[in-house]
Amino acid sequence: MQTYLKTKPIGVQLLLFVGLAIGLWVIISLMAMSFGAQAAGINLAELSNMNKWDSSNLANKLLIIRSGLVAQFLGMFVLPSLLFAYFSDPQPRQYLGLRQPAHGAYWLVGSLLLLVALPLVEYTGMLNQQLDLGPALNEWMHQREAEVSNVLKLAFVEKTTTNLIANLVFIALFAGIGEELFFRGIIQRMMIRGTRSPWAGIIITAFLFSFFHFQFLGFAPRLILGVLLGLLYWYSGSIWVAILAHFLYDATLVTILHYNPHLLNQTSGFLPQATLPWLALGSVALLAAIVWWMKRNSATYTPDEPVTVAPPPNSTNDFIA
């Protein structure tokens, strides 16, 4: 008798997956917090208050922060995704898209996609920060951004090669693997199947991807990145391509901040503001060309067919199965 989770209603699948992620994250986080508190020599109850950490010991602070990142990476993203795929399909690797892309050029195209999007991301980020949602919400959003910025500043204090490599692993690599498995590998599949529309599923997933970062001054640019990653996975049929693109994008930002940590104190971004609207327009044109190419070389349907929910015969894509 078929007992795989992918045959269950989407609502049931989503509840089970979210419950699994929260449960594993809580368990592993408690273990990581205990380890971090013991290593830093502080009370477990004081762990969430950075002001009570030993300000003279940067190594302990980084140990606590990176322990939390490991807990998030394993507990919330990777283990739940792998376990859910295992109980959802007799071929969990295929279910998650852990396979070669439809076309070898996707490795290069995927690597360029998010980098080409940088001007558009910065421009929409600038517009996003001008959004006024009222004093209370504005204050909360700025406070949240300040908290994240303070943590990042700690990570970029040491300008050593060792610290750069550590940040590339804990910030860029963990996000690239973990978030893509969770959002594109599992959630996007559910949303596409539930809506019976690839675009709707990709956009809903991108919305959730941006929302659950809880950094709303960057909601719009992160939504755009989520849509691009979703399209990359949908058209290529390979989660590896999306992971690589996500990693390279974050790795680029990590490297820039490593050599220019003062940029964490500004909100204007990396690119010249005077020409940013024109750069964003060029970014849109290049992105449209890349998406057109991906559509023409898709694993999901043949180039001259309309977009359909079900993949064509002999396709390697089984998002809806």
Side-chain angles (χ1 to χ4, degrees):
M1 183 176 66
Q2 173 63 274
T3 58
Y4 290 109
L5 290 179
K6 71 176 183 179
T7 63
K8 305 296 181 184
I10 294 301
V12 173
Q13 290 187 48
L14 187 59
L15 285 174
L16 289 172
F17 179 57
V18 171
L20 180 64
I22 292 175
L24 286 172
W25 176 63
V26 168
I27 293 170
I28 295 179
S29 290
L30 288 173
M31 296 169 60
M33 288 169 61
S34 299
F35 169 77
Q38 183 177 10
I42 65 174
N43 190 292
L44 186 60
E46 298 176 347
L47 195 62
S48 61
N49 188 349
M50 289 181 61
N51 295 325
K52 295 188 177 181
W53 299 0
D54 182 359
S55 59
S56 64
N57 196 327
L58 177 62
N60 278 354
K61 286 185 175 182
L62 289 176
L63 179 62
I64 294 170
I65 292 169
R66 287 167 179 168
S67 295
L69 290 173
V70 170
Q72 183 185 65
F73 173 68
L74 293 176
M76 178 168 286
F77 295 137
V78 174
L79 291 179
S81 299
L82 294 178
L83 286 172
F84 191 85
Y86 177 79
F87 290 113
S88 292
D89 195 278
Q91 296 181 301
R93 288 175 57 86
Q94 187 84 351
Y95 181 88
L96 282 171
L98 295 169
R99 56 195 171 205
Q100 292 293 316
H103 193 293
Y106 267 106
W107 295 111
L108 177 60
V109 170
S111 299
L112 291 175
L113 183 66
L114 297 195
L115 299 181
V116 167
L118 261 173
L120 176 62
V121 167
E122 281 210 11
Y123 184 65
T124 54
M126 182 182 69
L127 297 178
N128 194 160
Q129 291 178 21
Q130 297 172 4
L131 185 64
D132 187 357
L133 297 177
L137 276 177
N138 288 343
E139 182 181 355
W140 178 82
M141 289 189 298
H142 281 90
Q143 182 180 358
R144 171 62 182 165
E145 292 292 332
E147 291 171 356
V148 174
S149 179
N150 288 336
V151 172
L152 285 175
K153 286 175 183 178
L154 287 175
F156 290 100
V157 167
E158 292 185 352
K159 298 183 67 174
T160 64
T161 302
T162 300
N163 195 52
L164 172 60
I165 294 172
N167 286 333
L168 288 172
V169 171
F170 285 98
I171 297 175
L173 185 62
F174 279 12
I177 296 173
E179 292 179 4
E180 290 312 301
L181 287 175
F182 185 95
F183 286 102
R184 255 60 66 178
I186 302 294
I187 298 294
Q188 180 168 298
R189 172 188 285 274
M190 291 184 191
M191 294 300 105
I192 291 176
R193 181 184 173 197
T195 60
R196 307 299 297 173
S197 166
W199 272 95
I202 288 168
I203 292 172
I204 291 171
T205 303
F207 177 90
L208 296 173
F209 169 72
S210 185
F211 181 87
F212 284 108
H213 276 78
F214 297 110
Q215 293 174 257
F216 296 104
L217 292 179
F219 181 87
R222 198 170 286 109
L223 175 67
I224 291 172
L225 292 173
V227 169
L228 293 175
L229 287 165
L231 289 172
L232 184 57
Y233 181 29
W234 172 254
Y235 285 130
S236 72
S238 172
I239 197 72
W240 289 120
V241 176
I243 288 172
L244 178 63
H246 194 150
F247 166 73
L248 289 176
Y249 180 85
D250 286 354
T252 299
L253 300 185
V254 165
T255 304
I256 291 173
L257 290 173
H258 177 79
Y259 292 105
N260 303 275
H262 64 277
L263 293 174
L264 287 167
N265 296 318
Q266 66 183 49
T267 58
S268 56
F270 311 127
L271 301 175
Q273 300 298 293
T275 58
L276 189 55
W278 296 106
L279 292 173
L281 187 61
S283 178
V284 170
L286 288 173
L287 288 172
I290 292 173
V291 171
W292 175 85
W293 182 91
M294 291 195 300
K295 179 178 177 180
R296 299 289 295 183
N297 296 273
S298 173
T300 312
Y301 56 92
T302 56
D304 297 322
E305 289 180 350
V307 178
T308 57
V309 176
N314 302 321
S315 169
T316 59
N317 191 302
D318 66 340
F319 281 90
I320 309 304

